[in-house]
Every structure is written in C-alpha cells, then in structure tokens.
Amino acid sequence: MPESNLFLNLFRHKVGKNYAPGQIIIEAGTHGDAMYVVLEGEVEIRVSDAEIETGGPNTILGEMALVDDDPRSATVVAKTDCRLLEVDRRRFQSLVAETSYFALEVMHVMANRLRKSNARIAST
Amino acid sequence: MPESNLFLNLFRHKVGKNYAPGQIIIEAGTHGDAMYVVLEGEVEIRVSDAEIETGGPNTILGEMALVDDDPRSATVVAKTDCRLLEVDRRRFQSLVAETSYFALEVMHVMANRLRKSNARIAST
C-alpha cells in the first residue's frame, strides 16, 4: 500500500508558488494541463458552491485533467496562505511510468473521492 | 493518452468466468481483493439501488478495493450473460508497475466515474 506523505516527500525540494486566502487555484469549467500538490496551507474543493473537501499538505488537486482532457470538474480555492507545486502532464506521465507508488497513490486519492461522492449520492 | 480497448486487449487470451443475468458479481459492503474486467456481456453498477452505470466489454469493476482496503462501495450485477476476468491485487500491482498505460487507463476510468458522480451531486 502507498505510504501516507508520498506527494510531499516526492516534491520536498521544490519551492512552488504562493496563493493568498480566497485566491482561486483551479476554476471549474476551465481547461487545465497541470495538477497541484499542496506543500503548505489549506485549500477548499468546491462542487457547485458546496465544499466537498478541505485539504492540507500532501493533498493533490486537478489530477483528473491529466488523464482525460475534460474541463475542471471542481473549483479549488486557497483557504489560508498556501504554497502549491504545479506538476504538468509530461512530469505526471513520467512519474506514473517510473514510480508505481506514485500511480497507486493517485488512484488511492481518486478512490477516496469517489467513495465520498458515492456516499453523498447514497444519502440523498 | 490511453487507448480505448486497453483492458480487453491486455487480457484477450484469458478465459474468465461466466455469470448469468441477475447474478451478483460485487456486493457493496463486502471486502474484496480483486478487480474485474468485462470480457463479454453487460453489467450494471448500482449505488444504493440506483443504477449509476452500465458497462460492456472493457469495463473494469472493483478497482478501488485494490488501492485501499475499504469495503466495496457499489454493487455490480450481471445484466446479460457475462464473461468476466478476475485480476487479483498482485497482478494489478505488477501491471501498474510494468505498464504505465494500464495505470493511466485505470485513472481515466476513475476520473470518468468521479466526474459523473460530481455532476450528479451538482444537479441535486
């Protein structure tokens, strides 16, 4: 099974980019060519105005756009001062090819989100 | 980008196991150690009695239990006579490690399901 702070460990020497509270990192409906790793701070994932997840360091965001070409399905906003690393499609694909733990951990995150989403549907 | 019949191509020489219409392949809430690839026939994915997806050949099922250890989140039932191949955790992990297209295609399926799920939440 993948270890818990894998993304953070993988990118610990990277500087990333700063975001202020309230700043939009990903906007639903737009096209995207990168995923993000939260290095510091907290972000909020929103699907049509409902907060569906809050994420701290090691959270990944926007990974879906790297495996299909569809527009962003959720909006991500900085909740506090944040530092995020952008990982483009090429880097993502080489990580998947070279580091099976990375691929498994991305799947793990997606499975978690899908489970949460299914649970939400089941409760409506 | 991953090609479209990847799972079918990958396992085309495998025989698999037959299921009759109405037969349960995966039951929500149970523990599972395998994913399935539909080789022939049609299956139905249900989350708390609502049909959320119908799948034909090349559909994968139950892959989430291979990246976490949580119980099955959905029930899968054979809709017609089906032939399915079971892929256990060990085989899954070596496919992820050896075939980055396999990993990307699994992520692609998960992203699709998550998008559908999010769209369903957004419309409620």
Side-chain angles (χ1 to χ4, degrees):
Chain A
M1 279 290 97
E3 61 193 62
S4 59
N5 274 320
L6 184 132
F7 301 118
L8 218 48
N9 292 338
L10 207 52
F11 301 111
R12 67 185 175 284
H13 300 304
K14 303 283 182 184
V15 175
K17 193 182 147 189
N18 294 311
Y19 292 82
Q23 201 175 339
I24 291 175
I25 299 155
I26 290 176
E27 192 167 3
T30 62
H31 185 76
D33 258 328
M35 65 164 242
Y36 298 84
V37 182
V38 179
L39 300 176
E40 270 178 27
E42 271 208 335
V43 298
E44 197 178 290
I45 305 178
R46 290 184 196 157
V47 171
S48 52
D49 292 335
E51 180 184 322
I52 55 162
E53 193 180 320
T54 301
N58 200 53
T59 301
I60 59 166
L61 309 160
E63 73 293 339
M64 295 202 297
L66 297 186
V67 290
D68 55 31
D69 281 314
D70 291 0
R72 301 293 197 184
S73 68
T75 293
V76 181
V77 181
K79 215 172 168 170
T80 63
D81 282 313
C82 284
R83 200 159 53 83
L84 277 84
L85 180 70
E86 201 175 305
V87 178
D88 67 17
R89 193 183 298 264
R90 221 175 59 146
R91 180 90 182 99
F92 177 82
Q93 287 179 345
S94 34
L95 280 165
V96 169
E98 289 155 21
T99 319
S100 70
Y101 263 45
F102 175 79
L104 288 170
E105 188 66 14
V106 172
M107 290 181 207
H108 184 70
V109 169
M110 293 171 88
N112 264 338
R113 289 184 180 152
L114 196 43
R115 284 183 192 281
K116 272 192 207 163
S117 209
N118 284 346
R120 195 180 273 251
I121 289 170
S123 70
T124 55
Chain B
M1 281 287 98
E3 61 192 61
S4 59
N5 273 320
L6 185 132
F7 301 119
L8 217 48
N9 292 337
L10 207 52
F11 302 112
R12 68 187 176 282
H13 300 303
K14 302 285 183 181
V15 175
K17 192 183 148 188
N18 293 310
Y19 292 81
Q23 201 176 338
I24 291 174
I25 299 155
I26 291 176
E27 192 168 1
T30 62
H31 185 77
D33 258 328
M35 66 165 240
Y36 298 84
V37 182
V38 179
L39 300 177
E40 271 178 26
E42 271 209 335
V43 299
E44 196 179 289
I45 306 179
R46 290 184 196 157
V47 171
S48 53
D49 293 335
E51 180 184 320
I52 55 163
E53 194 180 321
T54 301
N58 201 53
T59 301
I60 59 165
L61 309 160
E63 73 293 338
M64 295 200 298
L66 298 186
V67 291
D68 56 29
D69 281 313
D70 291 359
R72 302 293 197 184
S73 68
T75 293
V76 181
V77 182
K79 215 171 167 170
T80 63
D81 282 312
C82 284
R83 199 159 54 82
L84 278 84
L85 180 72
E86 202 176 305
V87 178
D88 67 17
R89 193 183 297 266
R90 220 175 60 147
R91 179 91 182 98
F92 177 82
Q93 287 178 344
S94 33
L95 280 166
V96 170
E98 289 155 22
T99 318
S100 69
Y101 263 45
F102 175 79
L104 289 170
E105 187 65 14
V106 172
M107 289 180 207
H108 185 69
V109 169
M110 293 171 87
N112 263 338
R113 290 183 179 153
L114 196 44
R115 284 182 192 281
K116 273 191 206 166
S117 210
N118 284 346
R120 195 179 273 252
I121 289 170
S123 69
T124 57

